[in-house]
Amino acid sequence: MSVNLTGFLVVVLVAYLVPGPDFVVVVRSAAEHPSQGRWAALGAQTGLCVHMLAAALGLSVVAARSPVVYEAIQLGGAAYLVHLGVRALVTARRSARRRRDAAAGAGDGPPASPGGPSGRGRRGAFTQGLLTNVLNPKAALFFLSVLPQFVHGGGSATGQIFFLGILDVVIGVVYWFALVGVAARLRRLLARPAVRRRWELATGWSFIAIGLTVAAA
């Protein structure tokens, strides 16, 4: 299969190293529990598979040529990111309220030990990762405009798109799982109420900022 593999690998690695909404989702989920981080990563890569299939079937071309369809995807993704940000800010506010109540009663006490992941937590992390990338117009444009630059006319364009797309997804899984391992080391630090509240505020405003940027792009 005649593809420009070296150039493609460089572009993919750079794309993963630049933080985006999927980065925030995976790291935030990993801070809850490593298992949730891995499920969020798998959800994010599944979202990329959706764009890969759409590009191979030509659906991305339809979306790119239709301003209404593209704007719907863009605004839907922006709204979802803002929704995640607002949820994080609400969580931070509730955490601060519980901390004040504890200080007025028995005191702050020791930091809570991170608990194990629930089935609902894993499903929620996977869904967040999935929707974040499915509704990310930049991910759609990558498979529509960037990936075809590395497809050569000597073979099946569809087969080359699948090959490069699957390679992208596999590289992403390795990268995300390594990132989850790093983020999971912060769990005990984030179990402290004051640190946890700052973390939720930071991730919440990050989601909102990214969402507004996507909407205005």
Side-chain angles (χ1 to χ4, degrees):
M1 186 173 292
S2 179
V3 293
N4 184 359
L5 194 57
T6 302
F8 178 74
L9 291 176
V10 171
V11 170
V12 167
L13 290 175
V14 171
Y16 277 113
L17 290 175
V18 177
D22 46 4
F23 176 90
V24 181
V25 168
V26 172
V27 172
R28 186 169 185 267
S29 299
E32 294 286 344
H33 194 278
S35 177
Q36 289 186 199
R38 287 189 286 270
W39 278 100
L42 292 175
Q45 298 311 97
T46 302
L48 292 185
C49 289
V50 172
H51 291 299
M52 176 180 64
L53 290 172
L57 297 175
L59 298 179
S60 292
V61 177
V62 176
R65 291 181 177 178
S66 173
V68 175
V69 174
Y70 180 78
E71 287 179 8
I73 296 174
Q74 184 178 12
L75 294 178
Y80 182 69
L81 292 172
V82 171
H83 165 71
L84 292 180
V86 171
R87 282 182 55 183
L89 295 180
V90 170
T91 300
R93 183 176 180 181
R94 290 174 179 170
S95 176
R97 185 184 301 118
R98 286 194 298 267
R99 191 180 175 209
R100 288 195 299 267
D101 293 342
D108 285 335
S113 298
S118 63
R120 181 179 180 183
R122 290 191 292 264
R123 288 192 298 272
F126 180 88
T127 301
Q128 285 188 8
L130 173 67
L131 293 179
T132 297
N133 268 350
V134 167
L135 297 175
N136 185 356
K138 290 184 178 180
L141 286 177
F142 175 84
F143 281 91
L144 173 65
S145 59
V146 177
L147 187 147
Q149 303 302 318
F150 302 94
V151 173
H152 288 197
S156 168
T158 301
Q160 292 180 66
I161 288 175
F162 275 122
F163 172 75
L164 293 175
I166 291 172
L167 184 60
D168 181 3
V169 170
V170 171
I171 291 173
V173 170
V174 174
Y175 170 75
W176 291 130
F177 276 33
L179 184 66
V180 166
V182 174
R185 296 180 180 274
L186 302 175
R187 289 184 66 221
R188 289 203 171 274
L189 176 64
L190 292 174
R192 301 175 184 175
V195 176
R196 181 71 182 182
R197 177 176 176 273
R198 294 190 187 99
W199 168 256
E200 293 291 350
L201 286 173
T203 55
W205 286 115
S206 296
F207 275 128
I208 292 174
I210 295 173
L212 294 178
T213 301
V214 169

XYZ file of all heavy atoms in Angstrom, residues 60-149:
650
model
N -18.269 12.651 4.964
C -17.620 13.875 5.413
C -17.623 14.933 4.317
O -17.680 16.138 4.579
C -16.181 13.585 5.850
O -16.171 12.795 7.012
N -17.541 14.487 3.067
C -17.573 15.436 1.955
C -18.917 16.153 1.920
O -18.996 17.365 1.718
C -17.318 14.708 0.616
C -17.425 15.678 -0.550
C -15.952 14.033 0.642
N -19.983 15.389 2.145
C -21.324 15.984 2.168
C -21.423 17.013 3.280
O -21.942 18.125 3.093
C -22.394 14.881 2.357
C -23.773 15.512 2.479
C -22.351 13.903 1.190
N -20.893 16.648 4.471
C -20.962 17.567 5.611
C -20.150 18.828 5.341
O -20.570 19.943 5.684
C -20.452 16.870 6.869
N -18.973 18.663 4.721
C -18.104 19.816 4.470
C -18.709 20.750 3.423
O -18.517 21.957 3.472
C -16.725 19.350 4.027
N -19.439 20.184 2.468
C -20.014 21.004 1.396
C -21.356 21.602 1.781
O -21.887 22.432 1.036
C -20.154 20.173 0.125
C -18.813 19.797 -0.505
C -18.984 19.002 -1.773
N -17.698 18.707 -2.410
C -17.563 17.991 -3.507
N -18.637 17.508 -4.121
N -16.370 17.757 -4.009
N -21.897 21.161 2.889
C -23.175 21.704 3.341
C -22.937 22.560 4.587
O -22.682 22.023 5.665
C -24.162 20.576 3.667
O -25.328 21.110 4.255
N -22.999 23.875 4.471
C -22.771 24.740 5.632
C -23.710 24.441 6.791
O -23.315 24.533 7.960
C -23.008 26.146 5.067
C -22.780 26.021 3.601
C -23.247 24.641 3.251
N -24.950 24.076 6.476
C -25.920 23.810 7.538
C -25.501 22.592 8.356
O -25.511 22.616 9.593
C -27.331 23.597 6.943
C -28.310 23.195 8.044
C -27.805 24.862 6.242
N -25.098 21.512 7.658
C -24.680 20.289 8.351
C -23.432 20.551 9.173
O -23.335 20.156 10.343
C -24.426 19.152 7.343
C -23.851 17.927 8.053
C -25.719 18.781 6.628
N -22.456 21.232 8.573
C -21.204 21.482 9.279
C -21.432 22.368 10.505
O -20.896 22.115 11.586
C -20.185 22.137 8.350
C -18.873 22.404 9.036
C -17.962 21.380 9.249
C -18.553 23.681 9.505
C -16.768 21.613 9.901
C -17.368 23.922 10.155
C -16.473 22.888 10.353
O -15.299 23.120 11.003
N -22.244 23.412 10.341
C -22.504 24.304 11.470
C -23.270 23.591 12.570
O -23.059 23.866 13.759
C -23.279 25.528 10.992
C -22.430 26.498 10.171
C -23.220 27.688 9.680
O -24.382 27.835 10.112
O -22.690 28.456 8.863
N -24.142 22.644 12.210
C -24.873 21.879 13.216
C -23.907 21.032 14.040
O -24.011 20.963 15.271
C -25.921 20.990 12.550
N -22.951 20.385 13.359
C -21.938 19.601 14.075
C -21.099 20.508 14.968
O -20.828 20.199 16.132
C -21.034 18.857 13.078
C -21.844 17.833 12.287
C -19.877 18.159 13.802
C -21.062 17.156 11.178
N -20.695 21.635 14.434
C -19.850 22.566 15.172
C -20.554 23.090 16.422
O -20.002 23.076 17.522
C -19.474 23.735 14.263
C -18.514 24.734 14.887
C -18.143 25.832 13.918
O -18.775 25.972 12.867
N -17.124 26.599 14.242
N -21.786 23.560 16.264
C -22.524 24.121 17.393
C -22.909 23.042 18.396
O -22.925 23.276 19.610
C -23.766 24.862 16.897
C -23.483 26.113 16.059
C -24.780 26.738 15.578
C -22.678 27.128 16.873
N -23.223 21.826 17.897
C -23.526 20.722 18.803
C -22.323 20.367 19.657
O -22.446 20.145 20.874
N -21.139 20.313 19.047
C -19.931 20.027 19.804
C -19.627 21.115 20.801
O -19.241 20.841 21.950
N -19.774 22.375 20.395
C -19.523 23.488 21.303
C -20.473 23.455 22.490
O -20.064 23.655 23.645
C -19.654 24.811 20.545
N -21.752 23.194 22.211
C -22.745 23.139 23.288
C -22.433 22.005 24.263
O -22.579 22.170 25.492
C -24.149 22.959 22.705
N -21.982 20.870 23.739
C -21.665 19.742 24.621
C -20.470 20.067 25.512
O -20.460 19.752 26.709
C -21.382 18.493 23.795
C -21.086 17.277 24.635
C -22.090 16.691 25.405
C -19.812 16.731 24.686
C -21.823 15.584 26.200
C -19.547 15.618 25.469
C -20.551 15.055 26.226
O -20.273 13.961 27.009
N -19.447 20.716 24.976
C -18.282 21.086 25.773
C -18.653 22.095 26.852
O -18.193 21.994 28.000
C -17.189 21.660 24.870
C -16.529 20.662 23.914
C -15.614 21.389 22.938
C -15.751 19.604 24.690
N -19.487 23.060 26.499
C -19.939 24.025 27.503
C -20.746 23.321 28.583
O -20.621 23.627 29.786
C -20.764 25.145 26.836
C -21.418 26.034 27.889
C -19.879 25.982 25.916
N -21.558 22.347 28.179
C -22.335 21.559 29.146
C -21.407 20.840 30.138
O -21.645 20.866 31.356
C -23.199 20.549 28.396
C -23.764 19.460 29.249
N -24.762 19.670 30.180
C -23.452 18.126 29.330
C -25.049 18.531 30.793
N -24.267 17.597 30.298
N -20.342 20.225 29.620
C -19.384 19.555 30.502
C -18.722 20.562 31.441
O -18.479 20.266 32.622
C -18.319 18.827 29.683
C -18.774 17.618 28.868
C -17.587 17.025 28.112
C -19.407 16.555 29.759
N -18.418 21.740 30.928
C -17.794 22.765 31.761
C -18.706 23.232 32.872
O -18.270 23.378 34.022
N -19.964 23.459 32.547
C -20.930 23.893 33.568
C -21.086 22.811 34.641
O -21.148 23.107 35.846
C -22.281 24.232 32.917
C -23.351 24.464 33.987
C -22.144 25.457 32.022
N -21.124 21.544 34.224
C -21.224 20.448 35.192
C -20.033 20.448 36.129
O -20.171 20.233 37.343
C -21.307 19.108 34.458
C -22.676 18.808 33.874
C -22.702 17.443 33.212
N -22.280 16.382 34.109
C -22.162 15.103 33.759
N -22.437 14.756 32.502
N -21.793 14.193 34.615
N -18.836 20.691 35.598
C -17.641 20.725 36.443
C -17.702 21.889 37.424
O -17.311 21.747 38.591
C -16.386 20.817 35.577
N -18.187 23.044 36.974
C -18.302 24.193 37.869
C -19.327 23.950 38.963
O -19.121 24.345 40.121
C -18.686 25.442 37.059
C -17.643 25.938 36.045
C -18.159 27.174 35.316
C -16.322 26.229 36.728
N -20.425 23.288 38.618
C -21.431 22.944 39.634
C -20.843 21.982 40.655
O -21.067 22.115 41.863
C -22.680 22.335 38.958
C -23.623 21.755 40.005
C -23.398 23.382 38.120
N -20.057 21.005 40.184
C -19.398 20.066 41.092
C -18.458 20.803 42.036
O -18.391 20.499 43.239
C -18.611 19.008 40.297
O -19.515 18.290 39.459
C -17.900 18.041 41.228
N -17.710 21.775 41.506
C -16.794 22.559 42.345
C -17.565 23.344 43.401
O -17.136 23.442 44.563
C -15.977 23.507 41.477
N -18.713 23.892 43.014
C -19.519 24.660 43.968
C -20.062 23.758 45.075
O -20.035 24.122 46.256
C -20.668 25.338 43.221
C -21.524 26.229 44.094
C -22.582 26.934 43.273
N -23.410 27.808 44.103
C -24.418 28.532 43.641
N -24.704 28.496 42.337
N -25.117 29.286 44.450
N -20.529 22.573 44.712
C -21.024 21.639 45.718
C -19.904 21.189 46.641
O -20.109 21.029 47.850
C -21.660 20.435 45.030
C -22.972 20.741 44.323
C -23.469 19.540 43.554
N -24.744 19.822 42.892
C -25.309 19.004 42.002
N -24.705 17.859 41.670
N -26.456 19.331 41.448
N -18.709 20.974 46.075
C -17.565 20.576 46.883
C -17.225 21.650 47.895
O -16.921 21.357 49.063
C -16.359 20.292 45.974
O -15.215 19.999 46.735
N -17.281 22.917 47.474
C -16.991 24.023 48.390
C -18.039 24.091 49.490
O -17.709 24.347 50.667
C -16.939 25.337 47.619
N -19.310 23.838 49.142
C -20.367 23.867 50.149
C -20.175 22.755 51.176
O -20.327 22.975 52.381
C -21.730 23.729 49.467
C -22.909 23.882 50.447
C -24.239 23.661 49.779
N -24.451 24.605 48.686
C -24.608 24.266 47.423
N -24.564 22.982 47.058
N -24.812 25.173 46.492
N -19.826 21.548 50.703
C -19.585 20.441 51.633
C -18.403 20.735 52.535
O -18.400 20.379 53.718
C -19.351 19.147 50.849
C -20.602 18.557 50.232
C -20.363 17.128 49.772
N -19.344 17.055 48.744
C -19.610 17.073 47.439
N -20.855 17.193 47.013
N -18.629 16.995 46.548
N -17.388 21.396 51.980
C -16.206 21.718 52.767
C -16.547 22.716 53.870
O -16.083 22.601 55.003
C -15.128 22.287 51.843
C -13.782 22.413 52.511
C -12.768 22.972 51.537
N -11.515 23.220 52.173
C -10.661 24.142 51.800
N -10.947 24.918 50.774
N -9.503 24.295 52.420
N -17.392 23.714 53.535
C -17.810 24.681 54.552
C -18.637 24.019 55.629
O -18.484 24.309 56.823
C -18.603 25.811 53.887
C -17.758 26.768 53.055
C -18.530 28.041 52.742
N -19.743 27.736 51.975
C -19.795 27.751 50.649
N -18.696 28.019 49.932
N -20.921 27.492 50.023
N -19.533 23.102 55.218
C -20.350 22.387 56.197
C -19.482 21.539 57.116
O -19.723 21.463 58.326
C -21.378 21.498 55.483
C -22.416 22.318 54.724
O -22.540 23.526 55.023
O -23.082 21.756 53.841
N -18.454 20.883 56.534
C -17.564 20.052 57.345
C -16.759 20.905 58.309
O -16.540 20.523 59.466
C -16.625 19.256 56.441
N -16.324 22.103 57.862
C -15.552 22.989 58.730
C -16.407 23.500 59.874
O -15.921 23.701 60.995
C -14.994 24.149 57.921
N -17.716 23.709 59.608
C -18.604 24.184 60.662
C -18.979 23.076 61.638
O -19.419 23.337 62.756
C -19.872 24.766 60.046
N -18.769 21.815 61.200
C -19.126 20.692 62.064
C -17.911 20.021 62.647
O -17.270 20.526 63.572
N -17.525 18.900 62.051
C -16.460 18.080 62.633
C -15.086 18.456 62.096
O -14.094 17.839 62.451
C -16.722 16.603 62.333
N -14.987 19.448 61.200
C -13.690 19.806 60.647
C -13.487 19.153 59.293
O -14.257 18.307 58.865
N -12.395 19.536 58.670
C -12.132 19.015 57.327
C -11.857 17.537 57.320
O -12.255 16.818 56.426
C -10.936 19.742 56.702
C -11.322 21.144 56.247
O -12.508 21.377 55.974
O -10.418 21.974 56.179
N -11.141 17.053 58.341
C -10.816 15.630 58.394
C -9.799 15.277 57.352
O -9.347 16.110 56.566
N -9.410 13.998 57.312
C -8.412 13.570 56.342
C -8.988 13.554 54.941
O -10.188 13.463 54.745
C -8.060 12.138 56.811
C -9.301 11.678 57.512
C -9.895 12.887 58.146
N -8.152 13.659 53.946
C -8.645 13.595 52.568
C -9.320 12.273 52.292
O -8.913 11.231 52.774
C -7.367 13.742 51.715
C -6.262 14.134 52.635
C -6.691 13.810 54.008
N -10.351 12.327 51.488
C -11.084 11.104 51.160
C -10.225 10.228 50.266
O -9.526 10.714 49.380
C -12.393 11.454 50.447
N -10.265 8.929 50.490
C -9.518 8.012 49.639
C -10.266 7.815 48.345
O -11.485 7.619 48.351
C -9.345 6.653 50.339
O -8.612 6.821 51.531
N -9.575 7.867 47.243
C -10.248 7.650 45.963
C -10.888 6.278 45.925
O -10.270 5.273 46.274
C -9.111 7.764 44.942
C -8.007 8.492 45.647
C -8.147 8.117 47.086
N -12.111 6.223 45.504
C -12.814 4.943 45.455
C -12.645 4.257 44.120
O -12.030 4.775 43.205
N -13.193 3.069 44.017
C -13.111 2.328 42.764
C -14.136 2.823 41.781
O -15.101 3.498 42.141
N -13.956 2.506 40.542
C -14.874 2.977 39.513
C -16.165 2.176 39.522
O -16.155 0.972 39.740
C -14.089 2.747 38.225
C -13.238 1.559 38.524
C -12.886 1.648 39.982
N -17.270 2.850 39.271
C -18.543 2.153 39.137
C -18.797 1.883 37.666
O -18.191 2.493 36.785
C -19.680 3.017 39.713
O -19.819 4.220 38.980
N -19.736 0.957 37.393
C -20.092 0.699 36.013
C -20.635 1.942 35.348
O -20.332 2.231 34.194
N -21.411 2.708 36.111
C -21.970 3.950 35.571
C -20.852 4.948 35.271
O -20.895 5.653 34.261
C -22.954 4.539 36.574
C -23.619 5.818 36.107
C -24.603 6.330 37.130
N -25.247 7.547 36.698
C -26.123 8.244 37.429
N -26.456 7.800 38.635
N -26.671 9.343 36.969
N -19.835 4.982 36.148
C -18.714 5.889 35.930
C -17.948 5.549 34.664
O -17.551 6.431 33.909
N -17.747 4.250 34.427
C -17.032 3.828 33.218
C -17.851 4.140 31.974
O -17.307 4.629 30.979
C -16.705 2.339 33.300
C -15.639 1.987 34.335
C -15.190 0.564 34.181
N -16.237 -0.387 34.525
C -16.375 -0.966 35.710
N -15.522 -0.672 36.680
N -17.336 -1.835 35.935
N -19.152 3.863 32.036
C -20.013 4.160 30.880
C -20.057 5.659 30.612
O -20.019 6.099 29.461
C -21.424 3.614 31.112
C -21.525 2.091 31.035
C -22.975 1.660 30.979
N -23.703 2.058 32.169
C -23.794 1.333 33.281
N -23.180 0.146 33.346
N -24.483 1.752 34.314
N -20.143 6.432 31.694
C -20.182 7.882 31.537
C -18.898 8.422 30.930
O -18.933 9.304 30.070
N -17.756 7.884 31.359
C -16.471 8.324 30.817
C -16.362 7.967 29.339
O -15.902 8.779 28.523
C -15.329 7.699 31.613
N -16.784 6.755 28.991
C -16.746 6.333 27.579
C -17.639 7.233 26.732
O -17.238 7.668 25.644
C -17.195 4.876 27.457
C -17.190 4.352 26.041
C -16.045 3.791 25.504
C -18.325 4.427 25.251
C -16.026 3.317 24.193
C -18.326 3.962 23.949
C -17.167 3.404 23.424
N -18.845 7.526 27.232
C -19.782 8.357 26.478
C -19.240 9.767 26.291
O -19.364 10.354 25.209
C -21.139 8.417 27.203
O -21.660 7.085 27.348
C -22.142 9.260 26.435
N -18.630 10.322 27.351
C -18.052 11.662 27.227
C -16.948 11.693 26.176
O -16.878 12.608 25.353
C -17.513 12.127 28.580
C -18.578 12.552 29.555
C -18.006 13.196 30.805
O -16.804 13.462 30.879
N -18.837 13.432 31.786
N -16.050 10.694 26.227
C -14.988 10.636 25.229
C -15.540 10.477 23.825
O -15.076 11.133 22.879
N -16.548 9.612 23.684
C -17.153 9.366 22.371
C -17.775 10.631 21.797
O -17.476 11.041 20.675
C -18.201 8.264 22.495
C -19.057 7.980 21.256
C -18.195 7.398 20.145
C -20.208 7.028 21.595
N -18.654 11.271 22.576
C -19.365 12.448 22.083
C -18.417 13.618 21.844
O -18.621 14.410 20.919
C -20.474 12.848 23.071
C -21.632 11.867 23.197
C -22.642 12.362 24.227
C -22.316 11.655 21.850
N -17.378 13.728 22.678
C -16.434 14.827 22.508
C -15.783 14.786 21.136
O -15.621 15.825 20.482
C -15.352 14.781 23.605
O -15.980 14.974 24.886
C -14.311 15.870 23.399
N -15.414 13.601 20.659
C -14.770 13.517 19.345
C -15.771 13.414 18.200
O -15.511 13.922 17.109
C -13.788 12.343 19.307
C -12.394 12.782 19.710
O -12.111 13.970 19.836
N -11.500 11.837 19.920
N -16.911 12.752 18.418
C -17.919 12.685 17.355
C -18.416 14.087 17.017
O -18.654 14.414 15.845
C -19.099 11.781 17.783
C -20.286 11.961 16.833
C -18.674 10.321 17.786
N -18.553 14.945 18.033
C -19.062 16.301 17.824
C -17.942 17.319 17.634
O -18.195 18.527 17.693
C -19.938 16.713 19.018
C -21.198 15.874 19.221
C -21.913 16.279 20.498
C -22.135 16.009 18.027
N -16.720 16.836 17.412
C -15.586 17.734 17.216
C -15.379 17.960 15.713
O -14.908 17.069 15.009
C -14.325 17.135 17.838
C -13.146 18.087 17.769
O -13.225 19.174 17.203
N -12.036 17.677 18.349
N -15.699 19.145 15.207
C -15.562 19.369 13.762
C -14.107 19.294 13.292
O -13.847 18.965 12.134
C -16.131 20.780 13.568
C -16.052 21.424 14.909
C -16.228 20.326 15.902
N -13.157 19.577 14.187
C -11.751 19.489 13.794
C -11.354 18.044 13.518
O -10.540 17.776 12.630
C -10.863 20.088 14.884
C -10.988 21.599 14.998
C -10.025 22.165 16.018
C -10.137 23.686 16.085
N -9.199 24.263 17.071
N -11.929 17.107 14.281
C -11.646 15.692 14.028
C -12.204 15.285 12.672
O -11.563 14.537 11.919
C -12.257 14.829 15.137
N -13.403 15.783 12.352
C -13.991 15.470 11.036
C -13.137 16.035 9.905
O -12.892 15.364 8.898
C -15.414 16.032 10.963
N -12.656 17.271 10.080
C -11.844 17.892 9.042
C -10.493 17.208 8.884
O -9.925 17.186 7.795
C -11.647 19.378 9.355
C -12.867 20.271 9.111
C -12.560 21.704 9.520
C -13.281 20.216 7.652
N -9.972 16.637 9.982
C -8.695 15.919 9.876
C -8.833 14.747 8.918
O -7.987 14.540 8.043
C -8.258 15.421 11.252
C -7.008 14.574 11.208
C -5.763 15.156 11.200
C -7.092 13.186 11.166
C -4.605 14.383 11.149
C -5.955 12.402 11.111
C -4.703 13.004 11.098
N -9.909 13.970 9.089
C -10.099 12.803 8.224
C -10.527 13.203 6.829
O -10.343 12.438 5.876
C -11.123 11.848 8.852
C -10.558 11.010 9.944
C -10.596 11.437 11.254
C -9.953 9.782 9.672
C -10.056 10.667 12.273
C -9.412 9.013 10.685
C -9.453 9.450 11.984
N -11.087 14.400 6.687
C -11.540 14.838 5.370
C -10.437 15.517 4.567
O -10.264 15.244 3.377
C -12.720 15.802 5.518
C -13.201 16.481 4.233
C -13.754 15.453 3.272
C -14.237 17.536 4.555
N -9.651 16.395 5.221
C -8.703 17.214 4.473
C -7.242 16.873 4.729
O -6.414 16.971 3.812
C -8.935 18.701 4.795
O -8.770 18.931 6.193
N -6.897 16.472 5.965
C -5.489 16.198 6.270
C -5.110 14.784 5.867
O -4.116 14.564 5.152
C -5.204 16.422 7.774
C -3.752 16.071 8.092
C -5.496 17.862 8.149
N -5.878 13.801 6.306
C -5.545 12.405 6.033
C -5.437 12.109 4.529
O -4.498 11.411 4.115
C -6.559 11.486 6.716
C -6.285 9.984 6.671
C -6.806 9.323 7.954
C -6.962 9.328 5.477
N -6.342 12.623 3.673
C -6.215 12.315 2.235
C -4.923 12.820 1.606
O -4.553 12.348 0.515
C -7.444 13.016 1.628
C -8.431 13.068 2.729
C -7.616 13.303 3.957
N -4.228 13.771 2.255
C -2.972 14.262 1.701
C -1.905 13.165 1.655
O -0.924 13.273 0.921
C -2.454 15.440 2.537
C -3.415 16.602 2.659
C -3.803 17.179 1.317
O -2.951 17.345 0.439
N -5.084 17.485 1.156
